[in-house]
Amino acid sequence: MKISTRFSDSIHILAFINIYQGVIPLTSNNIASSIETSPVVVRRLMSALNKAGLINTVHGAADPVLAKSPENISLYDIFLAIEGDAHLFTIDERTNPQCIVGGNIQETLNGFYQQAETAAKAKLARTSLQDVIDTIRVKQAIKDAEKERRN
Amino acid sequence: MKISTRFSDSIHILAFINIYQGVIPLTSNNIASSIETSPVVVRRLMSALNKAGLINTVHGAADPVLAKSPENISLYDIFLAIEGDAHLFTIDERTNPQCIVGGNIQETLNGFYQQAETAAKAKLARTSLQDVIDTIRVKQAIKDAEKERRN
DNA sequence: TTAATTGAAACTTATTTAGTTACAAATAAG
DNA sequence: CTTATTTGTAACTAAATAAGTTTCAATTAA
């Protein structure tokens, strides 16, 4: 199983809430316009983010808010909220237990995969939503300066 | 996108070739029995492993051989052979370029995802097929000892 | 009271992955 | 040389997963 765009869309939602709060109404419709998906998809993801305690939403009302400061929300927190205990690598569960290889490969690969996965997740854990927002703003500032230069 | 069982099945094939060479004929049929899949799936994967220079196969003849010693085949070599430049995380390619978030999130996430992915791949690069084979043999030895003890 | 919005279920569609069928091309054995 | 075995590959089918849609009850806000 590959990690779906749900993860990247969720980070998008959280960054959007932070950057556009007070600027435009934070309805699922407005957020969906930025992701170019449907409002239902956005609400589905926000429901998971809400349950995980990353945002606070109110049934019937727009304008969700981040439940913590962006410095204290890591990409791994978001990953957990959306993908739960999903794995980056998949192990074939149906191998012949009679065979030396088939009978031991699952446990064996599980160990090595776990290590690789943990390395990746540790990186995610060390990256905050604030890092993402900062990078977005810097990239936008560069674009704005470019545009200005051309005038 | 999640990484499919193709990767784990490929490691399985290589370990099987090493452990069973000279013991039983290494036909796609025999290998498939250990993985509990079809011979065609095995041949498909072996074709990719052959093209990547990890094994040497002969059209019409059984008994493929490892092209390098297991110490010199890393899990990342196998990953590259089978998955190529596949990514562990997927970025939503269709976001609104007019929006500060939508217009910069792809590049931004690409950077952070790249870091996490590299951490995982580095772990795979530091794990060899020999490590896998050794672990399989140790696990089997433990099982054998358990069985002996019960007699 | 009405309009706008969320939350959630059920469904459809699209994409990806796994497995199958079929067969030409090569090898191996008698 | 002939036959059986095997690989390599293409084309197809089936299954699993992901993305998107439709619908509507429940809630809030004006």
Side-chain angles (χ1 to χ4, degrees), chain B residues 14-144:
Chain B
L14 295 172
F16 192 93
I17 290 173
N18 178 268
I19 289 178
Y20 282 104
Q21 67 177 331
V23 180
I24 60 169
L26 298 176
T27 63
S28 59
N29 232 303
N30 283 338
I31 299 173
S33 298
S34 174
I35 305 182
E36 290 191 354
T37 183
S38 91
V40 177
V41 170
V42 171
R43 293 204 288 271
R44 207 142 53 190
L45 294 173
M46 289 206 300
S47 171
L49 295 171
N50 183 49
K51 276 167 187 152
L54 299 184
I55 61 175
N56 295 317
T57 62
V58 178
H59 189 177
D63 295 303
V65 295
L66 298 184
K68 314 181 199 179
S69 82
E71 291 89 4
N72 295 321
I73 298 177
S74 77
L75 295 194
Y76 184 54
D77 293 330
I78 304 169
F79 182 92
L80 276 180
I82 299 301
E83 300 285 348
D85 58 357
H87 289 291
L88 270 42
F89 302 99
T90 311
I91 293 173
D92 193 335
E93 309 284 0
R94 189 163 152 274
T95 58
N96 187 346
Q98 308 299 322
C99 167
I100 296 176
V101 180
N104 297 289
I105 189 86
Q106 294 174 16
E107 257 192 272
T108 299
L109 285 185
N110 188 53
F112 292 118
Y113 280 1
Q114 212 60 263
Q115 287 181 40
E117 198 167 303
T118 299
K121 288 178 174 172
K123 264 285 175 192
L124 294 181
R126 273 182 261 116
T127 306
S128 70
L129 179 59
Q130 187 65 56
D131 294 332
V132 174
I133 292 165
D134 288 345
T135 307
I136 288 172
R137 288 204 185 279
V138 167
K139 286 186 187 294
Q140 183 63 36
I142 292 169
K143 283 184 187 171
D144 290 347

